[in-house]
Amino acid sequence: MDPASFLHASRVVIVAGKGGVGKTTVSATLARMAAREGLSTLLLEVEGKSGIAGLFGKSALAYGESVLVPAAQPGGAEVRGRTLTPDDALLEYLEDHGLKRVSKRLVATGAMDVVATAAPGIKDILLLGKVKQLERAGEAGRDAPDGTAPADLIVLDGPAAGHAISFLLSARGLLDAVRVGPVSTQARDVLELLTDPARCQVVLVTLPEETPVNELVETAFHLEDRVGVSLGPVVVNGVYPVLDALDADPGDAAAAAGTSLRAGEGESLAAAARFRRARQDLQAEQLARLAELLPLPQLHLPFLFEADLGPSHVDVLADALRGAVLAAPEGSRSPG
């Protein structure tokens, strides 16, 4: 698969997956890869909960954008980031519609929570409406109304898989509940964004383990059947590199290398080899099962043996993602 075709498949990529599978890391990796390929990239997190900034060695993101990675290399582009919150999006919406004097008072008095209770899904629509506004500005090559520079690609670090379905279903739910008025218009515009594959696609993330694979497959079918969103390749995170010499006797291997083992080291090495072999067998089984259940291309990212990830690790993963894209087959089939 050509990296340029992969990155230009849609203007908005929503990254979703079960909590703990590395969804935020994949979002940062995708944004970094896109910037290296020359696409100005806007990386969005929802309500400041994802920790994106830390992966780039920066302080917490705000509603206003900040530069996470400058465009240093020739032909590259910058990665910008910001966090989206319903309150800030509501303030901006009201101000844009001539209600600046009352907007802050409404939010300060907790009106947002009252509205959210009366109209479930309104918070999600406010967030997705902001994404839609930024996407339209990028398509037109102009600044958004809030002054945000246009981006070639928007990467949204979406909610965990359970909330991702309700998050993306909010537009359909509100259209059923509210037939006329600005809320209905906003919901309709958001639904048009979500269901247009040239504008938006969802990239699901999993680990090569049974439970995350099960949840990803279930989420994929829900998103296509109930939301009508286009699915991109599946990113399988945390894949152990395959080692071939796991059956070697530790003592013999040490002797062949011209060294020797201390007491107990042979047993420890043998136990480690058994664990690694079991892990490799498990991930091979789950990768095959995923391919059978969900006929979408798989992009594998390696497991990094690090306690905390930072900018250098994102660069390593961006290289790995580009290699995985190059190795992937062209095109994909719907899971349905």
Side-chain angles (χ1 to χ4, degrees), residues 1 21 37 70 95 115 144 156-157 192 194 197 232 242 289 299:
M1 186 189 307
V21 300
E37 295 293 318
E95 290 174 3
V115 173
L156 174 62
D157 183 17
E192 289 177 359
L194 295 177
V242 176
R289 193 167 70 91
L299 305 177

Side-chain angles (χ1 to χ4, degrees), residues 6 42 76 83 85 87 90 184 212 214 217 226 296 325 328:
F6 169 69
L42 182 59
T83 187
T85 69
D87 284 353
L90 176 60
S184 176
N214 289 344
V217 172
R226 299 173 63 189
L296 293 173
V325 170

Side-chain angles (χ1 to χ4, degrees), residues 132-151:
K132 176 257 308 180
Q133 181 191 72
L134 294 169
E135 181 268 338
R136 282 183 169 173
E139 180 187 14
R142 54 174 170 75
D143 289 355
D146 65 358
T148 300

Side-chain angles (χ1 to χ4, degrees), residues 49-73:
K49 295 179 180 179
S50 75
I52 280 176
L55 289 169
F56 291 98
K58 305 292 185 180
S59 56
L61 297 178
Y63 190 71
E65 70 171 40
S66 59
V67 175
L68 294 173
V69 183
Q73 66 185 60

Side-chain angles (χ1 to χ4, degrees), residues 12 44 84 127-135 154 156:
V12 176
L44 305 175
L84 301 183
L127 296 175
L128 288 167
K130 182 61 182 176
V131 175
K132 176 257 308 180
Q133 181 191 72
L134 294 169
E135 181 268 338
I154 296 173
L156 174 62

Side-chain angles (χ1 to χ4, degrees), residues 152-167:
D152 299 316
L153 179 67
I154 296 173
V155 178
L156 174 62
D157 183 17
H163 182 200
I165 296 172
S166 59
F167 179 70

Side-chain angles (χ1 to χ4, degrees), residues 58 84 97 99 103 108 112 170 201 216 219 235 264 272 329:
K58 305 292 185 180
L84 301 183
H97 288 77
L99 298 173
S103 59
M112 184 71 250
S170 58
Q201 68 173 333
L216 179 137
T219 299
V235 176

Side-chain angles (χ1 to χ4, degrees), residues 273-309:
R274 288 193 297 272
F275 172 82
R276 185 60 173 266
R277 187 164 49 248
R279 177 71 192 189
Q280 288 181 185
D281 292 343
L282 169 66
Q283 76 177 21
E285 176 187 343
Q286 294 306 318
L287 291 173
R289 193 167 70 91
L290 175 60
E292 180 181 354
L293 295 173
L294 192 63
L296 293 173
Q298 295 180 18
L299 305 177
H300 297 173
L301 289 181
F303 185 93
L304 298 185
F305 295 87
E306 302 286 345
D308 298 302
L309 301 184

